[in-house]
Amino acid sequence: MSIVVNNLLKMYGGQKAVNNVSFSVQKGEIVGFLGPNGAGKSTTMKMITGYLSPDSGVALVSNINVAQNPIEAKRKIGYLPEANPLYYEMFIKEYLDFVAGVHAIKNRKQRIQEVIELTGLSAEQKKKISQLSKGYKQRVGLAAALIHEPEVLILDEPTSGLDPNQIIEIRNVIKQQGQDKTVLFSSHILQEVEAICDRLIIINKGALVADDTLSNLQQQRTSNFVKVIFKENVETQWLERLRAVKNVNKLDSFSWQIEAANPNEVKKQLLELSLQHNLNIVSLQTEGGSLEDIFRSLTISK
């Protein structure tokens, strides 16, 4: 296993930011690491990369204990954090040369040119980092993460700030790197996760709530949701009182998503409710199976 996480715990005051999280990722896997804001994704990534010490638990990278041998572990890791740290007054090549020097890379000029071409920076390579758009700054961060040819890539929101064309280009880079590396990839763009990742790990409120392939998660959760749109405002408690309802989520002023053990029964009850309270149903349909539905069902506040 290239990444092994055993019972990682991180406390901030009395709050468990990461609550005994365990998982493993093998070489050649691209794993999506998902969760809502504040779920503990970035904190977990920082502990795996050695930038943050856990209160308890162990993180191993290429069989190296990150806490006991942080420098040796970091040699194996390419890390693009969510807050991409760059020296804005440096030119792109100057910055990459600096990073290559830190890693004591041989043939630095050749390797710098390789990662510039790989990450699509060729047209901008003579600019200062401060002159770049956010998307190109992300590319510089990715180039820096790749420059020492690490065995493990930890990417926290790597496509943030990229336009649709750039996203496709970086997606292809990540997929290419994932053929012989271990990639842990975090993103709020669920379409990207579906396009890139072999497996999903989802955390919520610091705890692991799912670790499986997308196809398995879809099979487990297909057609468990009913989406209803009313013409009028509806009291939440009316929907919560319906039989076999697991959870009710208000999408906007008139739209609701209902998780149910028996969606067809819930649809019948919604029709009865509309007659009872003189409500007009604009739309009523069964949903389920999409990554968005899976994500919402696992992370929405109960």
Side-chain angles (χ1 to χ4, degrees):
M1 297 289 184
S2 291
I3 299 174
V4 177
V5 170
N6 284 323
N7 297 317
L8 280 187
L9 174 69
K10 186 63 183 179
M11 302 286 295
Y12 290 126
Q15 181 181 356
K16 291 180 179 178
V18 176
N19 186 7
N20 294 315
V21 167
S22 299
F23 60 83
S24 60
V25 187
Q26 299 183 40
K27 181 179 178 180
E29 271 194 303
I30 303 177
V31 174
F33 193 40
L34 306 181
N37 289 332
K41 302 186 302 298
S42 293
T43 300
T44 302
M45 287 179 159
K46 288 175 182 176
M47 288 189 285
I48 295 170
T49 54
Y51 288 87
L52 195 62
S53 298
D55 292 315
S56 64
V58 176
L60 303 175
V61 173
S62 298
N63 295 318
I64 301 167
N65 188 307
V66 176
Q68 294 177 357
N69 300 288
I71 301 300
E72 188 179 352
K74 287 174 183 178
R75 290 193 180 104
K76 305 288 185 180
I77 299 170
Y79 178 38
L80 176 61
E82 184 178 15
N84 186 5
L86 300 169
Y87 293 110
Y88 282 14
E89 292 309 306
M90 283 186 170
F91 290 91
I92 292 174
K93 283 188 173 181
E94 182 183 13
Y95 174 70
L96 293 177
D97 185 65
F98 165 73
V99 175
V102 170
H103 289 287
I105 293 172
K106 298 178 180 178
N107 301 319
R108 277 153 63 171
K109 287 186 178 181
Q110 178 183 337
R111 183 56 187 159
I112 289 167
Q113 199 56 45
E114 287 174 356
V115 294
I116 282 175
E117 292 174 6
L118 180 65
T119 55
L121 283 166
S122 298
E124 307 290 319
Q125 61 183 299
K126 295 183 179 179
K127 287 185 178 180
K128 279 188 175 182
I129 293 173
S130 61
Q131 297 173 317
L132 301 175
S133 67
K134 184 179 180 182
Y136 276 104
K137 286 172 183 170
Q138 284 295 98
R139 291 174 183 240
V140 175
L142 182 58
L146 291 169
I147 199 164
H148 59 297
E149 299 188 273
E151 296 178 13
V152 174
L153 275 178
I154 309 288
L155 306 175
D156 197 353
E157 301 290 342
T159 56
S160 174
L162 274 61
D163 65 39
N165 291 331
Q166 292 174 327
I167 286 174
I168 291 172
E169 291 171 7
I170 296 303
R171 175 200 300 173
N172 291 334
V173 171
I174 294 170
K175 289 175 75 172
Q176 178 188 348
Q177 295 298 310
Q179 293 176 7
D180 59 1
K181 289 179 172 50
T182 304
V183 181
L184 187 64
F185 170 84
S186 170
S187 178
H188 284 113
I189 306 173
L190 298 184
Q191 297 94 326
E192 282 308 294
V193 175
E194 287 185 282
I196 294 174
C197 300
D198 307 311
R199 188 174 118 225
L200 304 178
I201 295 171
I202 304 176
I203 63 171
N204 187 42
K205 297 180 180 178
L208 188 84
V209 293
D211 181 357
D212 210 336
T213 64
L214 177 57
S215 60
N216 284 345
L217 289 171
Q218 286 173 326
Q219 288 174 11
Q220 294 166 16
R221 295 179 177 273
T222 298
S223 301
N224 284 340
F225 298 89
V226 173
K227 182 179 180 181
V228 59
I229 302 174
F230 293 97
K231 193 173 181 180
E232 304 84 7
N233 285 317
V234 175
E235 295 289 335
T236 305
Q237 58 186 357
W238 293 351
L239 303 178
E240 290 175 337
R241 288 172 183 167
L242 299 177
R243 297 184 302 277
V245 167
K246 293 182 178 180
N247 186 58
V248 175
N249 175 40
K250 189 172 185 178
L251 302 176
D252 55 45
S253 298
F254 304 103
S255 302
W256 303 82
Q257 185 186 61
I258 301 169
E259 184 180 5
N262 189 335
N264 290 331
E265 177 62 26
V266 169
K267 287 165 77 173
K268 291 179 184 178
Q269 293 176 52
L270 286 167
L271 292 172
E272 293 171 2
L273 181 73
S274 68
L275 293 172
Q276 182 182 351
H277 293 280
N278 259 343
L279 301 171
N280 294 289
I281 294 178
V282 177
S283 174
L284 179 60
Q285 57 187 357
T286 303
E287 294 185 326
S290 74
L291 180 52
E292 182 178 355
D293 290 331
I294 293 166
F295 181 84
R296 292 182 70 86
S297 71
L298 291 169
T299 63
I300 197 164
S301 298
K302 304 292 184 182

